[in-house]
Amino acid sequence: MKIIHAKQALIGGKWMSDVQVNISDDGRIAQIGNQTQSATDKVAVLLPAPLNLHSHTFQRAMAGLTEARGYDPHDSFWSWRRLMYRFLDQLTPDHVEAIASLAFMEMVEAGYGAVAEFHYLHHDVGGVAYGNLAEMSDRIVAAATNVGIGLTLLPVLYQYGGCDLRPLAGGQRRFGNNPEQFLRLHDGATKSVKTAAADFNIGTAPHSLRAVDPRGLKTVVDAATSGPIHMHLAEQVAEVEEVQAHWSARPTEWLLANHDVDARWCLIHATQLNDQEAHDLAKSGAVAGLCPITESNLGDGIFRGTDYLGHGGVIGFGSDSDVHISLFEELKTLEYSQRLRDKSRAALATSAKSTGRVLLDAANAGGAQAGGRNSGEIAIGKWADLIGLDDDNQWLCNRSGDALLDSMVFGGWGQACITDVWSAGRHCVKEGRHFAREAIVRNYKTTMQQLETSI
Ligand SMILES: [Zn+2]
């Protein structure tokens, strides 16, 4: 039993002072109340730690390598993708595990309690299946286990190089499965997840309407009798136009008309929505999976956040390309995108909640829903995914309640205030540092030396 004492804590949606949270040995919150026993850990502030609902950890190793202009004067998302495919041809399972370990470590240090890994790098170079079809999935599970972050593994079905059903080429061949092989791979990955920590779970992920055909999509959706379903939806204008040309409808419009999209679904990058789609997707109960830092980095466009929340839509946050892993900056980036577009302030705040509070609540509720994880608030029976903060510093100045959250999100140094992070009770971060930081960073740097020589 772990016993955490907090000067203030956000418990079941309300601020409480001088509170004790007990975590049972199975990683769940067992008791909440006034202090009756001596604490094993003390923090100034205790918050629920959100789930990072979208990540491709191998892309962490490309951070900073895609910021120069190519030969194309209209350098774009597509040149970024070309670099990714060249990079991909070098990655071994050991590299993938080392890179995932670093990214997962950075996530818990940033305050994420868990992650939904949208995993599509399945095969060896050239698309040759490993002896163990789920080898790469196993490496993701191993990395999450070593780091201690809660995992929702999302094996991805990726069939084609575009809506014209062209075959996968180059580095993309490492992603490819037909639906039948994918289901076998998914079975293997499921076994791996079932033997891992009790809070780990599995969902499924048809990649996008560009990369699967209607039969492939239906096959994996029909096979997914439990767990969340994630799909990239409408990130770029070119993508929407491509889908419209081949599927006779915009991607959001087509998906809502042809599948029972509900609360089990998480649609990543719902960036390109028209009025009707914003309304209909919000009403479906699905999570709109937002990745504001990556979407800014790739120049995707601005999500219709004020409209979407106005319709009662559910949002959550993901680090996607992992170019910069920072929970509090993801929240701030979404809010600033709305302000810049509308020339407004406190765009997502309500009369009852400040901006920082709205964003953290959304990250927690949407993240838990998207991950199919019993988390997202400090309440009895939930996984103990928790952030501990120090408030005695120049950024938080012993503030309390929602003003403290606003200072975390907008003050610019939120992450520096994080002292502790627990994932399902696993005490991953103490004094702001992951318990295995040195070894993970050393291993990552060795990996990067091997990769950089041949880029
Ligand atoms: Zn993505």
Coordinates of all heavy atoms in Angstrom, one line a residue, residues 54 56 232 269 320, ligand 1:
H54 N -2.2 9.4 -28.6 CA -1.7 9.1 -30.0 C -0.2 9.3 -30.0 O 0.3 10.4 -29.8 CB -2.4 10.0 -31.0 CG -2.2 9.6 -32.4 ND1 -2.7 8.4 -33.0 CD2 -1.5 10.2 -33.4 CE1 -2.3 8.3 -34.2 NE2 -1.6 9.4 -34.6
H56 N 3.5 7.7 -32.3 CA 4.3 6.8 -33.1 C 5.7 7.0 -32.5 O 6.4 7.8 -33.0 CB 4.2 7.1 -34.5 CG 2.8 7.5 -35.1 ND1 1.9 6.5 -35.3 CD2 2.3 8.7 -35.4 CE1 0.8 7.1 -35.7 NE2 1.0 8.4 -35.8
H232 N -6.7 7.6 -38.2 CA -6.4 8.9 -38.7 C -7.6 9.3 -39.6 O -8.0 8.6 -40.4 CB -5.2 9.0 -39.6 CG -3.9 8.7 -38.8 ND1 -3.0 7.7 -39.1 CD2 -3.3 9.4 -37.8 CE1 -1.9 7.7 -38.3 NE2 -2.1 8.8 -37.5
H269 N -6.6 13.6 -35.6 CA -6.5 14.7 -36.5 C -7.8 15.0 -37.2 O -7.9 14.9 -38.4 CB -5.4 14.5 -37.6 CG -4.1 14.1 -37.2 ND1 -3.4 14.8 -36.3 CD2 -3.3 13.0 -37.5 CE1 -2.2 14.2 -36.1 NE2 -2.2 13.1 -36.8
D320 N 1.7 12.3 -31.0 CA 1.8 11.9 -32.4 C 3.2 11.7 -32.8 O 3.8 10.6 -32.5 CB 1.1 13.0 -33.2 CG 0.9 12.5 -34.7 OD1 1.1 11.3 -35.0 OD2 0.5 13.4 -35.5
Ligands
ZN1 ZN -0.5 9.8 -36.3

